Amino acid sequence: MSLRYRNSSEPAVSDAEDIPMAKLQQRRWRSVFATIYSARIFVSLYKKVINKKQILRSLSYIAVEVHDSDSSGDRLLSLCVDQKTLTEVVREKNLETLSNLGGVRQIAASLETDEKDGISSNKADLAHRIDLFGANRYPKPPNKSFFSFVFEAFKDTTIIILLVCAVLSLGFGIKQHGIADGWYDGGSIIIAVFLVVAVSAVSNFKQNRQFEKLSNESSDIKVEVVRDGHRQFISVFEVVVGEIVCLKIGDQIPADGLFLDGQSLKVDESSMTGESDHVEINGSNNPFVLSGTKVTNGFGFVLVTSVGMNTAWGEMMSSINRELDEETPLQACLNKLTSAIGKIGLAVAVLVLAVLLIRYFTGNTKDDKGNKEYIRGKTKFDSVMNSVVEIFSAAITIVVVAIPEGLPLAVTLTLAYSMKQMMADHAMVRKLSACETMGSATTICTDKTGTLTLNEMKVTESWLGKELMDGVSSVIAPIVHELLQQAVAFNTTGTVYMPNSQSLPEISGSPTEKAILSWAVSDLRMNLDDPKQDYELIQVETFNSDKKRSGVLIRRKSDSATQVHWKGAAEMILAMCSQYNDRSGTIKAINDEERIELGKIIENMAAKSLRCIAFAHKNIPEDDEPVLEETGLTLLGLVGLKDPCRPGVKIAVEACINAGVNIKMITGDNVFTAKAIAVECGILQPDEDLNEAVIEGVQFRNYSPEERIARINKIRVMARSSPFDKLLMVQCLKQNGHVVAVTGDGSNDAPALKEADIGLSMGIQGTEVAKESSDIVILDDNFTSVVTVLRWGRCVFNNIQKFIQFQLTVNIAALVINFIAAISSGEVPLTAVQLLWVNLIMDTFGALALATERPTNDLMTMPPVGRSKPLISNIMWRNLIAQALYQVAVLLTLQFRGKAIFGVDEKVKNTLIFNTFVFCQVFNEFNARKLEKKNIFQGLHKNRLFLGIIAITIILQVVMVEFLKRFADTQRLNWGQWGTCIGIAALSWPLGWLVKFIPA
């Protein structure tokens, strides 16, 4: 902007004359903005002059010259629109204010949005929009810090008691022996407690970050928008104000906006208003759409007016933090087990405490020199308190070892590890419980399209009447060509974009729509924009999964003649027709014989695994009310779409069958197509009786509840099914005791996905409604990935069983040893620090080692767990009881006969017991890797983490015994004693091998 002076005699030159008239309307708002801005400058200058009391020479004229910024290729958009006004208009649904602003189209012009081509994808323009109106993100509540996990670990009651005992021991020890020697007992316990707490906090902190990352990935949905004239998918976080968003059934609306165009658009606003009724969106009465709501019917194009924190959804979500520490059913079960074992441990600890205190105060305990530790009236108070504190510490430490805190940690670790690995295998877990439940699945109900097949549709066969077409449009009568052109152009949710006449068309839409549009444009040489010049769309009935068809009502602009066009499942459209067009355009009646012939054509196409789609139309007489007629139609043609099976799907199906998991295919295709695909995928065998194995949805629906329950196990293919049929099948299977996994991609699949034990939605074709209703999202829509989820589910369950077996062995052995030793000799062989070290080995290190085993092929040869199988199986009881009895026998022998056998003193004997006990756990970790297999080393080289943890444990144990004598209360051992400890512990390997010959 520039200011210049001129005399009043000079003629005024209008800047508007230099600007083409076509651009004046578009720049009106920018001119207004510039004028207001200039006026504000003049006002501020005037105020400065008045304040300074200066008098300027009056000017005869001031002209404002506004230079057009279009000359610069890098210009920034002016976008002179008030964000607050836009936000309030949509949020309050204020039609009056919207009208005062000029309506939706005027707002689109103000935002420099082309109603057809959308906005520019220029990075500078997009960045400018974000600067002015904000990004489509909202701040989340801060994550839990590392110190909050440390604090949570310190809140454990036993840890607090141990710390109190340690502080008392530290105080009395320093007072009695001086700071140089008196800090060891109490200080060692404090250091050990802090070590346990730190390891636990670090582990939980890392898993929390892992879950947070997966949560962020699950919220990054793809949104279809129009930019530079063609549709494209972008991240929901990249949506900006002025964007045109394409909406279809099942989409979650990514931002607040205004309705531009569309048909039969309805949204579910219950997430925002709490009202369950679906709200109709249109351009006249209610053009307002709210972020976070979901499309339940129709399709439409919406102009984005507010994003991120300028929407009510953004404000609400910024105050909500997703619960990442969700408790799964298995964790709940393990918490009960932990509580039960803890109570037993507490009872043992109380008993040990009572025995030790009685023995001490009755003078039955002696020090290292053989003198009584307590003599009434002679022993100093400090010595008494120190001894009592040591007794309390030992008893409390027994509780620490007895309570298997590692069980919940093991579940968390294996779930986090499996979630991360499953993400790499194209499966994103939304609910933690699904990981473990999938391991128990007995039946998988799967869709056909896109899951068993590639979802890459192509028209391979087309018929006009009873004649096979060769794709050459010149041999089709003009009237038939025109009708087909109308049928394809109007009755579709896809689009065709031609950047220029030389390039290939860019086709968007569902795979079925893309295949039909491609056939029309490429094979029949149709220009789908031509019919839209002469006809207008009056009414649309979008595709319905129950009726399996869609229809449109169109009106010719010249004489208001109306026509109906239907498209859908071939046999259903054929049932609506009473006549058909042949290639020459002749209309022929469909009698019984003709109907049978046309039905045979459809059956033959279906037997080739083709999806059959039919087109039909009807001219509405002038005197009749224009409605979507469903009878007396004229059949225009048939097309057969080929969707080949995915590579490897047959092997995946066989793997499931070998694993004892039933596969049931549920599809909307007709029974012949369904049979052909099922045979191709290996779900059905060509030579078997298919009468009971294949059924149509309507038959299943009409069975009595008793008949459904009786036949459900034999049904393997359900054709022409509706979402209600899928839900009904899931309910029947669950009543029969099955653990059911279901795949789904549509909004109508949501009830079945929620009802199933594991809901599996599709990441590519799945709607946001389906994804929100599911437990796991299959990112590549591939059935092979479903089988991978099954393998990981079994692996999670198996890993947890391994750890339970390992930890319960330690619990039982430690409790029995300490209890018997305390009762018989009045002292426990393992000190508080030593028991805390064992606790660290079995809880954290053991969980890391055993919870991160990858799935093996052996898992897919075992029958599914189902609902009734107990968590601790007979095989596990056999293994852990054998190992626990061996450890108890060996360590009690060392306790009572160790000094005599090895000729050592009390200190060395206790060190031998401690060392042997630790190495028993190290060797038993190998045994726990395989619950049933005798070869415990199979696949060991693939688990580097396991080998690394074993190596770290051994190194730290050597350090504890040889270099931390005062800290761990140990004595250095010679080579022979080390060999004895390792040899005794190594005998657990042959023992574990022999025990597995015993039937469980």
Side-chain angles (χ1 to χ4, degrees), residues 126 130 136-137 222 227 233-240 243:
L126 295 174
I130 292 172
N136 198 25
R137 293 177 181 271
K222 295 299 178 185
R227 287 184 181 178
F233 284 93
I234 63 172
S235 166
V236 66
F237 303 125
E238 295 173 7
V239 173
V240 297
E243 199 90 70

Side-chain angles (χ1 to χ4, degrees), residues 46 56 69 71 130 319 326 328 363 398 433 472 513 538 561 579 652 752 787 810 813 842 871 881 908 971:
Y46 173 75
L56 295 178
S69 58
S71 59
I130 292 172
S319 62
E326 161 199 353
T328 70
I398 290 173
S433 57
V472 181
E513 296 286 5
I538 302 173
Q579 49 196 13
V787 180
V810 185
M842 71 179 188
L871 184 60
I881 288 173
V908 175
Q971 287 289 333

Side-chain angles (χ1 to χ4, degrees), residues 76-376:
L76 290 179
L77 306 170
S78 59
L79 301 175
C80 44
V81 185
D82 180 29
Q83 174 65 75
K84 186 178 179 182
T85 303
L86 287 178
T87 301
E88 289 176 355
V89 165
V90 176
R91 194 178 295 186
E92 297 172 7
K93 298 188 176 183
N94 194 323
L95 280 170
E96 184 180 350
T97 306
L98 178 63
S99 177
N100 292 339
L101 291 172
V104 177
R105 279 163 176 75
Q106 183 58 58
I107 291 176
S110 305
L111 293 170
E112 298 207 359
T113 300
D114 188 287
E115 293 176 34
K116 182 180 178 183
D117 296 339
I119 62 172
S120 168
S121 56
N122 180 280
K123 290 183 179 180
D125 287 350
L126 295 174
H128 186 51
R129 289 178 186 271
I130 292 172
D131 289 340
L132 288 176
F133 303 112
N136 198 25
R137 293 177 181 271
Y138 48 83
K140 294 185 178 180
N143 296 326
K144 290 171 71 175
S145 66
F146 171 72
F147 292 103
S148 66
F149 288 99
V150 173
F151 181 70
E152 284 180 10
F154 270 118
K155 287 197 295 186
D156 186 275
T157 307
T158 52
I159 292 292
I160 293 171
I161 296 172
L162 263 180
L163 280 174
V164 171
C165 291
V167 170
L168 290 173
S169 177
L170 185 66
F172 288 117
I174 292 173
K175 186 176 180 181
Q176 188 174 5
H177 303 292
I179 195 167
D181 298 318
W183 73 272
Y184 282 108
D185 290 342
S188 299
I189 296 173
I190 290 172
I191 293 170
V193 166
F194 271 91
L195 182 62
V196 170
V197 166
V199 171
S200 174
V202 168
S203 176
N204 287 330
F205 177 73
K206 287 183 67 177
Q207 304 325 314
N208 181 269
R209 286 292 177 270
Q210 178 71 39
F211 293 144
E212 182 68 38
K213 182 181 177 184
L214 289 171
S215 171
N216 292 336
E217 289 178 0
S218 68
S219 61
D220 185 10
I221 61 176
K222 295 299 178 185
V223 179
E224 190 176 16
V225 300
V226 180
R227 287 184 181 178
D228 296 325
H230 66 282
R231 296 189 188 185
Q232 53 188 281
F233 284 93
I234 63 172
S235 166
V236 66
F237 303 125
E238 295 173 7
V239 173
V240 297
V241 169
E243 199 90 70
I244 293 180
V245 177
C246 313
L247 298 176
K248 61 183 183 299
I249 295 177
D251 284 350
Q252 178 171 310
I253 297 172
D256 287 359
L258 295 167
F259 177 84
L260 273 175
D261 194 15
Q263 290 290 336
S264 308
L265 186 64
K266 289 186 177 181
V267 299
D268 176 7
E269 295 186 349
S270 58
S271 59
M272 297 300 299
T273 65
E275 298 293 333
S276 58
D277 293 338
H278 295 169
V279 179
E280 185 175 351
I281 306 296
N282 53 54
S284 55
N285 300 324
N286 182 26
F288 310 103
V289 293
L290 300 175
S291 176
T293 57
K294 299 175 183 65
V295 180
T296 58
N297 191 43
F299 64 91
F301 299 88
V302 168
L303 172 71
V304 174
T305 56
S306 302
V307 295
M309 288 301 293
N310 290 320
T311 67
W313 178 257
E315 288 181 3
M316 182 173 70
M317 293 304 292
S318 66
S319 62
I320 298 173
N321 198 8
R322 179 180 170 184
E323 190 61 45
L324 298 175
D325 53 350
E326 161 199 353
E327 185 178 70
T328 70
L330 186 56
Q331 283 174 322
C333 180
L334 289 177
N335 286 338
K336 290 180 182 177
L337 179 64
T338 301
S339 177
I341 296 172
K343 288 174 184 176
I344 295 171
L346 184 61
V348 171
V350 169
L351 197 57
V352 167
L353 177 65
V355 170
L356 292 180
L357 287 173
I358 291 169
R359 289 180 66 92
Y360 176 77
F361 284 109
T362 55
N364 289 314
T365 55
K366 297 180 180 180
D367 58 19
D368 296 338
K369 298 176 182 178
N371 301 321
K372 288 184 178 182
E373 288 188 340
Y374 178 78
I375 301 173
R376 189 170 183 179

